């Protein structure tokens, strides 16, 4: 049995999601096609009613098979240290939306404000996942990552996103600089996050259409990316602190940009 699960980890047509919030969000997403739900005895006892309530809202052909397995076997299925919380879901991989189609739909819509977050070589899946979660919380319209030098849509990333991947359009592009230039032609302002350059975040006037760009954990924005920014912003800190984690900094800037949409000043 264990070998079957190990081989399914490399299935190109399916992906595994683990962690309570991530799995429940995936089961609640009608666009997802769940195939198999694994539960430990303890998790099944605690969550069975809630899971069944969610499954009752799905169409019968799209219901997963449910299996209960021992905790020791569960631990062996996933990488050491994986915080799976005794629940995991195998689903068909989500269909990728064409970025050009998304931009056209956004351009043709009556939506006044459009916010996109771009990740410039953010490599840590936990940081990327945390940013996705924050973007979902603040109602960001899309996230752009590069096809190379970005974490895969792994169980670890999805777990860190705590269900955020189910509510966002996430795109991968070959050339981020070209994508930023394309967006600027559509009247998007490109705002780059910097450790010490540009305006203080408190003085930022928020445009209706914007792309917020976060750089890598160690080097920040690449030179070419920075050159395609209309403005750079920074978060003033005490001198002995240094810099913030990229996911924390992104959350602070998004609160400044999107907080008013949720009744916060």
């Amino acid at each position: 049995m264990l070998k079957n699960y190990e081989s399914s980890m490399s299935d190109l047509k399916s992906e595994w999601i683990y962690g309570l919030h991530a799995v429940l969000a995936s089961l609640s997403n009608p666009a997802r096609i769940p195939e198999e739900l694994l539960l430990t005895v303890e998790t099944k006892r605690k969550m069975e009613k809630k899971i069944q309530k969610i499954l009752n809202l799905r169409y019968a052909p799209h219901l997963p098979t449910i299996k209960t397995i021992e905790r020791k076997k569960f631990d062996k299925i996933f990488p050491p240290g994986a915080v799976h919380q005794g629940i995991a879901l195998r689903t068909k991989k989500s269909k990728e939306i064409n970025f050009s189609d998304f931009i056209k739909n956004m351009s043709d819509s009556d939506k006044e404000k459009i916010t996109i977050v771009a990740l410039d070589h953010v490599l840590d899946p936990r940081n990327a996942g945390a940013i996705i979660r924050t973007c979902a919380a603040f109602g960001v319209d899309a996230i752009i990552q590069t096809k190379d030098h970005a974490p895969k849509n792994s169980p670890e990333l999805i777990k860190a996103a705590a269900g955020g991947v189910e509510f966002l359009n996430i795109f991968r592009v070959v050339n981020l600089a070209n994508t930023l230039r394309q967006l600027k032609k559509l009247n998007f302002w490109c705002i780059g996050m910097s450790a010490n350059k540009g305006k203080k975040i408190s003085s930022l006037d928020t445009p209706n259409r914007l792309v917020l760009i976060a750089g890598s954990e160690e080097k920040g924005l690449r030179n070419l990316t920075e050159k395609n920014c209309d403005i750079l912003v920074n978060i003033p800190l005490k001198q002995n602190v240094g810099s913030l984690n990229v996911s924390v900094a992104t959350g602070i800037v998004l609160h400044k940009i999107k907080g008013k949409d949720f009744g916060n000043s």
Side-chain angles (χ1 to χ4, degrees), residues 189-220:
W189 268 70
C190 293
I191 301 172
M193 293 167 51
S194 172
N196 46 34
K197 297 179 184 177
K199 281 187 172 185
K200 293 180 181 179
I201 183 61
S202 58
S203 63
L204 176 66
D205 293 324
T206 306
N208 284 338
R209 290 188 171 192
L210 67 90
V211 185
L212 177 66
I213 308 118
S216 71
E217 292 87 349
E218 294 183 5
K219 298 181 180 179

Side-chain angles (χ1 to χ4, degrees), residues 25-70:
S26 182
L27 286 173
S28 301
N29 182 359
R32 283 275 189 186
I33 302 178
E35 297 175 324
E36 185 175 17
L37 177 64
L38 300 183
L39 299 165
T40 60
V41 175
E42 297 83 5
T43 302
K44 183 178 181 181
R45 189 185 303 119
K46 293 177 183 177
M47 301 302 301
E48 188 170 21
K49 288 184 179 179
K50 188 167 188 176
I51 291 170
Q52 194 57 54
K53 186 176 180 180
I54 294 171
L55 293 179
N56 287 341
L57 299 175
R58 299 191 68 96
Y59 293 111
H62 292 165
L63 292 175
T65 58
I66 302 175
K67 294 182 180 179
T68 305
I69 62 176
E70 295 176 8

Side-chain angles (χ1 to χ4, degrees), residues 19 33 35 38 65 78 80 90 101 107 114 121 130 140 147 163 169 176 195 214 234-235 244 253-254 261:
I33 302 178
E35 297 175 324
L38 300 183
T65 58
F78 298 101
R90 179 165 56 87
D101 291 342
S107 300
I114 303 173
H121 288 199
V140 168
K147 285 195 173 180
N169 295 296
L176 181 59
N234 68 76
I235 302 168
L244 295 172
V253 179
L254 280 176
D261 297 345

Side-chain angles (χ1 to χ4, degrees), residues 3 22 33 35 42 48 56 61 76 80 99 106 109 138 144 156-157 160 163 170 204-205 208 230 237 241 254 260 264:
K3 289 183 179 179
I33 302 178
E35 297 175 324
E42 297 83 5
E48 188 170 21
N56 287 341
K76 291 179 181 178
F99 182 65
M106 286 286 102
S109 76
F138 282 112
I144 300 172
E156 185 181 17
L157 182 149
I170 302 175
L204 176 66
D205 293 324
N208 284 338
D230 296 296
L237 303 171
V241 172
L254 280 176
K260 291 180 182 178
N264 300 318

Side-chain angles (χ1 to χ4, degrees), residues 17-178:
I17 297 169
Y18 59 66
L20 189 59
H21 292 297
V23 169
L24 294 182
S26 182
L27 286 173
S28 301
N29 182 359
R32 283 275 189 186
I33 302 178
E35 297 175 324
E36 185 175 17
L37 177 64
L38 300 183
L39 299 165
T40 60
V41 175
E42 297 83 5
T43 302
K44 183 178 181 181
R45 189 185 303 119
K46 293 177 183 177
M47 301 302 301
E48 188 170 21
K49 288 184 179 179
K50 188 167 188 176
I51 291 170
Q52 194 57 54
K53 186 176 180 180
I54 294 171
L55 293 179
N56 287 341
L57 299 175
R58 299 191 68 96
Y59 293 111
H62 292 165
L63 292 175
T65 58
I66 302 175
K67 294 182 180 179
T68 305
I69 62 176
E70 295 176 8
R71 177 78 186 213
K72 288 182 180 179
K73 290 183 178 179
F74 211 111
D75 290 337
K76 291 179 181 178
I77 294 171
F78 298 101
V83 187
H84 51 68
Q85 298 174 293
I87 185 169
L89 180 70
R90 179 165 56 87
T91 79
K92 288 191 180 296
K93 285 190 175 179
S94 304
K95 291 183 179 179
E96 290 189 5
I97 305 169
N98 184 281
F99 182 65
S100 298
D101 291 342
F102 169 78
I103 292 300
K104 186 179 185 306
N105 291 338
M106 286 286 102
S107 300
D108 293 342
S109 76
D110 296 328
K111 190 169 184 178
E112 183 180 352
K113 294 183 178 181
I114 303 173
T115 302
I116 296 173
V117 169
L119 305 183
D120 185 24
H121 288 199
V122 174
L123 301 175
D124 189 309
R126 291 163 297 184
N127 280 336
I131 290 171
I132 291 169
R133 181 179 188 177
T134 302
C135 288
F138 282 112
V140 168
D141 296 284
I143 292 179
I144 300 172
Q145 293 177 294
T146 52
K147 285 195 173 180
D148 298 320
H149 305 291
K152 302 294 183 185
N153 214 25
S154 64
E156 185 181 17
L157 182 149
I158 296 171
K159 168 72 168 60
V165 295
E166 309 299 332
F167 308 109
L168 281 166
N169 295 296
I170 302 175
F171 303 99
R172 293 181 182 271
V173 298
V174 175
N175 189 310
L176 181 59
N178 284 345

